[in-house]
Amino acid sequence: MAGDRDTLLSMGFDPARVEWALKATGNRGLQPAMDHILENESKPVPSMDNVSESSTSASAMDVDDEDAEALESLGLAATNAAEAKSIKCSECGKIFKNTALANFHAEKSGHDQFEESTEEIKPLTEEEKKERLAELRAKMDEKRARKAIDDAAEQKANESLRRKAGKDMAKVKEDLQAKEAIKEAQQKKRDKIEEAKARAAVKAQIEADKKARAEKAAREKALREGRPIEDPAASTSTSTAAAPTPAASTSGVAGKDFKETRLQIRMSTGGQPYTTTLPSDSPLSAVAEFLAAQTLTVSVETVTFAQHFPRKTFSSADSSKSLKELGLTPSAVLIATP
């Protein structure tokens, strides 16, 4: 019916769904068509050729009794020829305008006792029609509002899950970057140590080559001049024996009672020197332990110490001797070789 179609279109329904609903309900009125639209709003609209008109009894299952009466009074529901002024349900006392509405009530309530009535149902005024139509629209608005609230809650929950997943991924990424940075720093430190060792080895090799060339030149000169060739090792031992012992050379110092010894330790590989003050009775191994605690390149078992002035290299046998016995009090400069 044109009136039902215009009413549904004015309520904002899609024209295709309106046509589908009117045809599927056999143009039996506004309420059946509206129920059809609401129940099938999530389904796609089929081709109109495949839509068959449903029976009056099928439509009756979707229409509320009171709404059906209101729609009938609005002139929007299909009516059959009334056999009396009204039909009354003997079980609940409701009065219906025609047999179609009585059938709706019977199928929904299960009541089967009806009788003719002389009571006449007065048609609704225009004001009452507007009120009923407003009620129907209010019901639709309420249903849409509930659906909007549910959709908003679902969207909020999904957004919360998405944000949590994003934070978890960001934390994992930060942890990976931090681990990579630590590994890179450790690798750079190891590379730096290896590079320092390589430079020290090259420097030592250069010194050894220089010494070898000097010894060779000395031998060749001695041969040219007819002098006997001196053994460098023997001359070194002789000079060492001739040199005064540290204890003897520093007897004046050792004679004084210095309780502490200030040391400056320089690495043979270069870098910043280390300074410390130890009790004069501390063994030389305490210096090795101090240096090992300051850098990763020094091992207590392998590190050796030497002095430039007077020139002396301390052996492993000296590690148990005190700083005072080694003549390092009250202060000294040591060269450490890892």
Side-chain angles (χ1 to χ4, degrees), residues 280-310:
S280 299
D281 294 334
S282 300
L284 185 62
S285 58
V287 182
E289 293 174 356
F290 163 76
L291 193 59
Q294 303 300 314
T295 175
L296 297 176
T297 61
V298 171
S299 171
V300 177
E301 290 78 11
T302 59
V303 65
T304 59
F305 297 99
Q307 270 186 303
H308 283 330
F309 305 102

Side-chain angles (χ1 to χ4, degrees), residues 13-50:
F13 291 117
D14 181 66
R17 291 190 177 276
V18 171
E19 293 294 340
W20 178 24
L22 291 173
K23 188 171 183 180
T25 57
N27 290 312
R28 284 190 297 276
L30 179 63
Q31 185 62 37
M34 188 182 303
D35 289 342
H36 184 277
I37 292 174
L38 294 177
E39 291 173 1
N40 298 277
E41 60 182 350
S42 62
K43 299 179 181 179
V45 179
S47 173
M48 289 298 102
D49 296 336
N50 299 327

Side-chain angles (χ1 to χ4, degrees), residues 67-86:
D67 292 340
E69 292 178 25
L71 292 171
E72 175 61 25
S73 64
L74 285 168
L76 300 176
T79 60
N80 294 334
E83 298 177 357
K85 290 183 179 181
S86 62

Side-chain angles (χ1 to χ4, degrees), residues 19-293:
E19 293 294 340
W20 178 24
L22 291 173
K23 188 171 183 180
T25 57
N27 290 312
R28 284 190 297 276
L30 179 63
Q31 185 62 37
M34 188 182 303
D35 289 342
H36 184 277
I37 292 174
L38 294 177
E39 291 173 1
N40 298 277
E41 60 182 350
S42 62
K43 299 179 181 179
V45 179
S47 173
M48 289 298 102
D49 296 336
N50 299 327
V51 179
S52 61
E53 295 185 357
S54 60
S55 64
T56 301
S57 60
S59 175
M61 296 298 293
D62 300 328
V63 182
D64 183 79
D65 296 336
E66 295 180 357
D67 292 340
E69 292 178 25
L71 292 171
E72 175 61 25
S73 64
L74 285 168
L76 300 176
T79 60
N80 294 334
E83 298 177 357
K85 290 183 179 181
S86 62
I87 299 176
K88 183 177 181 180
C89 177
S90 302
E91 298 184 33
C92 66
K94 287 188 176 182
I95 300 175
F96 305 97
K97 187 175 181 180
N98 53 43
T99 55
L101 295 177
N103 287 333
F104 294 163
H105 174 72
E107 293 186 11
K108 290 199 68 174
S109 64
H111 298 170
D112 57 0
Q113 301 296 324
F114 293 88
E115 60 182 351
E116 294 182 354
S117 174
T118 58
E119 296 183 34
E120 184 177 1
I121 299 175
K122 296 181 180 180
L124 296 177
T125 64
E126 291 297 325
E127 192 66 29
E128 291 174 333
K129 291 180 181 180
K130 290 180 180 180
E131 289 180 0
R132 292 293 181 90
L133 188 58
E135 289 177 2
L136 293 176
R137 288 178 175 174
K139 288 182 180 179
M140 290 184 56
D141 292 341
E142 183 181 356
K143 183 175 181 180
R144 289 175 180 172
R146 286 198 302 268
K147 188 175 185 303
I149 293 174
D150 293 341
D151 292 344
E154 183 179 359
Q155 185 177 1
K156 185 176 180 180
N158 293 337
E159 181 66 16
S160 178
L161 291 175
R162 187 189 65 79
R163 289 183 179 180
K164 185 177 183 302
K167 289 181 180 179
D168 293 342
M169 289 298 296
K171 188 176 184 306
V172 171
K173 188 175 180 180
E174 289 178 1
D175 292 343
L176 288 176
Q177 290 177 347
K179 290 180 181 178
E180 290 296 329
I182 293 173
K183 289 174 62 178
E184 185 177 354
Q186 291 175 345
Q187 185 61 43
K188 285 184 178 179
K189 192 170 185 178
R190 286 194 293 268
D191 294 343
K192 189 175 180 180
I193 293 172
E194 293 299 327
E195 184 179 355
K197 288 182 179 179
R199 284 200 305 267
V202 170
K203 186 176 180 180
Q205 186 62 44
I206 291 174
E207 293 295 333
D209 293 344
K210 188 186 294 185
K211 183 177 180 181
R213 287 196 299 270
E215 292 175 353
K216 182 179 179 182
R219 285 196 301 271
E220 290 176 352
K221 183 177 181 182
L223 288 174
R224 286 196 302 270
E225 295 177 354
R227 292 185 290 104
I229 300 175
E230 296 181 0
D231 186 1
S235 61
T236 303
S237 61
T238 302
S239 61
T240 303
T245 62
S249 61
T250 58
S251 58
V253 175
K256 298 181 180 179
D257 187 13
F258 292 105
K259 294 183 179 181
E260 293 183 342
T261 301
R262 182 175 176 79
L263 299 175
Q264 185 183 86
I265 307 167
R266 298 179 181 176
M267 301 299 298
S268 62
T269 56
Q272 183 178 359
Y274 302 92
T275 59
T276 184
T277 300
L278 297 172
S280 299
D281 294 334
S282 300
L284 185 62
S285 58
V287 182
E289 293 174 356
F290 163 76
L291 193 59

